[in-house]
């Protein structure tokens, strides 16, 4: 049995991938949701001090791309080049995505290795020639089983994902012996219950495999936009076999053994639930056939819904991320979707919900706290952080609250991929600090000019500033720009060094912000926004 990702640790990088995205159109919120989740996860692990590799990219072969290019009067390669350089890469840069690599399936580093992989399987007797006829969805680039179809009012068979008629294809293809891997996959799922997440996705896959697998058609002969089969150039490799292999080719498969050994397999494949079977059935079976280790985890996020419909290009509910970042800002965008939607479940987006959460949690709770603390340190202590010398039960409660927030956030975000619960733990602590200031009333304590009164005031403000120091560390993987602003405002860069060098798991170590740090009131982290619909 192939080894799992968890068994190959030591010097191995924490390797996370997004799906490689079809370039038949510009990216929308759904694509950005998965990519931001991967960015937060990998930034979190980097800030744990771990070696990390984050991969994203584009899927550029297949019939759907070919038809889109033809409809736009250009070659498929010209279409892909235009979309990648003008839409996909600029968006990831705009959203502050810190990916380590961007793979394109038209790159020679990929196509050569794909041919080698498939040739190896053919030489081992894992691939044979045969014929096939069945319903095919061009949007999914997949032959459909009867249970995958729905029926229109006129009796037309539709793809359940795209709600469009399927085409009946008949062609001579090469097949991978997928059916032989059903028992091995079931054994693997049972031995590795956390391999597929969430549980509902795992149950779906296990039930699907237990019903029996069909051999997989791994070539197409009715069009030519793809990687040629090396032993038969009348066929091109099935786009999904081509696409899945990016996770190996991007990290040196058959080209850079040292890089491959220290990176592969992925610890986490982040995917949309509509491509679950490809990643949880076909991909591990291909790796088993090649004697390669399988991934540590396949985590399927749900669909983003707008008006009750899955967000996609085809149903015109695709919203550009820039439509939101231009109003709310990039950091708030990165925060909102992971805060508002439980990863792994479907979630609805609305402008009104975003506005309400932004105002309540970012502007009022978090941003206002940062502004108040900096203003009071400036007003009462000339911007120089005072020493805490009068800790009491109220301060101890803050210390304990922080320790709990750090432990919860690290477990939920770093291990469980429960971004929502991790973010909530951090913001519950922010609320606790706000409550602490409200109860301690430093503006009243400041009127007591005795030594004890001033010591109490200093303790209150040090406690609040030190709490914010920890919040900046914890929120840095999620909201890097505003976290850096807060870090600078607290004088932490000068006294503690770079924010990215602060281990998230140690953020709860109390007393790190030194007495005398220069605290300044910078720009408001999250300014109040006018409703553009009313402006």
């Amino acid at each position: 049995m192939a080894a799992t990702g968890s068994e190959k640790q030591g010097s191995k990088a924490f390797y996370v991938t997004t799906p490689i995205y079809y370039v038949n159109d510009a990216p929308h919120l759904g694509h950005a949701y998965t990519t931001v989740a991967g960015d937060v996860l990998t930034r979190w692990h980097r800030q744990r001090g771990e070696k990390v590799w984050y991969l994203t990219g584009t899927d550029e072969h297949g019939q759907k791309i070919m038809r889109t290019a033809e409809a736009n009067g250009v070659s498929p390669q010209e279409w892909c080049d235009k979309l990648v350089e003008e839409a996909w890469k600029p968006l990831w840069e705009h959203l502050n995505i810190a990916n380590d690599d961007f793979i394109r399936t038209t790159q020679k580093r990929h196509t050569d290795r794909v041919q080698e992989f498939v040739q190896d399987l053919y030489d081992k007797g894992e691939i044979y020639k045969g014929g096939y006829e069945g319903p095919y969805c061009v949007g999914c680039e997949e032959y459909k089983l009867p249970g995958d179809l729905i029926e229109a009012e006129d009796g037309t068979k539709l793809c359940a994902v795209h709600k469009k008629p399927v085409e009946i294809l008949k062609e001579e293809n090469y097949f991978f012996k997928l059916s032989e891997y059903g028992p091995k996959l079931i054994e693997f799922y049972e031995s590795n219950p956390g391999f597929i997440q969430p549980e509902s996705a795992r149950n779906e896959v296990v039930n699907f495999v237990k019903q029996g697998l069909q051999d997989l058609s791994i070539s197409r002969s009715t069009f030519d936009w793809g990687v040629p089969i090396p032993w038969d150039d009348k066929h091109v490799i099935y786009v999904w076999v081509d696409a899945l292999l990016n996770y190996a080719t991007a990290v040196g498969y058959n080209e850079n053994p040292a890089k491959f050994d220290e990176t592969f397999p992925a610890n986490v494949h982040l995917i949309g639930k509509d491509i679950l079977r490809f990643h949880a059935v076909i991909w591990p079976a291909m790796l088993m056939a090649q004697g390669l280790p399988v991934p540590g985890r396949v985590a399927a996020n749900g669909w983003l819904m707008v008006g009750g419909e899955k967000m996609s290009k085809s149903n015109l509910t695709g919203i550009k991320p820039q439509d939101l970042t231009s109003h709310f800002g990039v950091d708030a965008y990165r925060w909102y979707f992971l805060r508002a939607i439980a990863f792994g479940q479907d979630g609805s987006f609305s402008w009104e919900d975003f506005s309400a959460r932004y105002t309540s949690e970012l502007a009022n709770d978090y941003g206002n706290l940062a502004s108040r603390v900096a203003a009071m340190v400036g007003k009462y202590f000339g911007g120089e952080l005072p020493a805490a010398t009068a800790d009491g039960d109220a301060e101890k409660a803050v210390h304990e609250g922080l320790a709990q927030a750090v432990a919860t956030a690290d477990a939920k975000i770093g291990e469980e991929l429960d971004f929502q619960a991790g973010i909530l733990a951090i913001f519950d602590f922010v609320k606790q600090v706000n409550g602490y200031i409200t109860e301690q009333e430093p503006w009243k304590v400041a009127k007591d000019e005795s030594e004890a009164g001033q010591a109490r005031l200093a303790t209150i403000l040090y406690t609040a500033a030190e709490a914010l120091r920890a919040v900046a560390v914890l929120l840095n993987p999620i909201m890097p720009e505003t976290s850096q602003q807060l870090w600078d405002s607290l004088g932490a860069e000068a006294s503690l060094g770079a924010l990215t060098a602060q281990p998230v798991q140690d953020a709860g170590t109390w007393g790190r912000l030194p007495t005398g740090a220069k605290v300044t009131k910078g720009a408001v982290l999250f300014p109040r926004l006018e409703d553009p619909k009313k402006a």
Side-chain angles (χ1 to χ4, degrees), residues 115-130:
Q115 288 187 310
E116 292 166 4
F117 187 99
V118 173
Q119 182 71 59
D120 284 347
L121 290 184
Y122 183 70
D123 293 343
K124 291 176 179 178
E126 296 282 350
I127 293 173
Y128 65 91
K129 197 172 188 178

Side-chain angles (χ1 to χ4, degrees), residues 68 95 109 131 190 194 198 207 287 292 334 346 354 394 396 398 444 459 476 490 499 501 507 520 522:
T68 301
L95 293 179
R109 64 165 171 157
E190 290 175 351
N207 291 336
L287 293 171
L292 292 171
R334 290 170 57 95
D346 293 347
F354 197 162
K396 290 176 183 176
V398 174
K444 289 186 179 179
T459 296
N476 189 50
L490 294 169
L499 175 56
T520 56

Side-chain angles (χ1 to χ4, degrees), residues 501-522:
Q502 312 301 312
V504 286
Q505 69 272 28
D506 297 338
T509 302
W510 192 263
R512 288 186 53 78
L513 195 60
T515 299
K518 301 299 182 184
V519 179
T520 56
K521 191 173 185 297

Side-chain angles (χ1 to χ4, degrees), residues 295-334:
R297 188 172 359 172
V298 174
N301 61 255
W303 287 339
L304 285 184
M305 315 292 283
V306 177
E309 289 285 332
K310 178 200 172 198
M311 187 172 297
S312 69
K313 307 180 193 91
S314 57
N315 67 15
L316 303 181
T317 58
I319 299 171
K320 292 191 300 182
Q322 295 92 330
D323 296 339
L324 299 179
T325 59
S326 62
H327 181 69
F328 295 101
V330 170
D331 269 12
Y333 177 96
R334 290 170 57 95

Side-chain angles (χ1 to χ4, degrees), residues 7-21:
E7 293 169 346
K8 280 191 65 178
Q9 288 302 316
S11 63
K12 183 190 176 302
F14 183 73
Y15 178 27
V16 177
T17 73
T18 71
I20 50 171
Y21 301 108

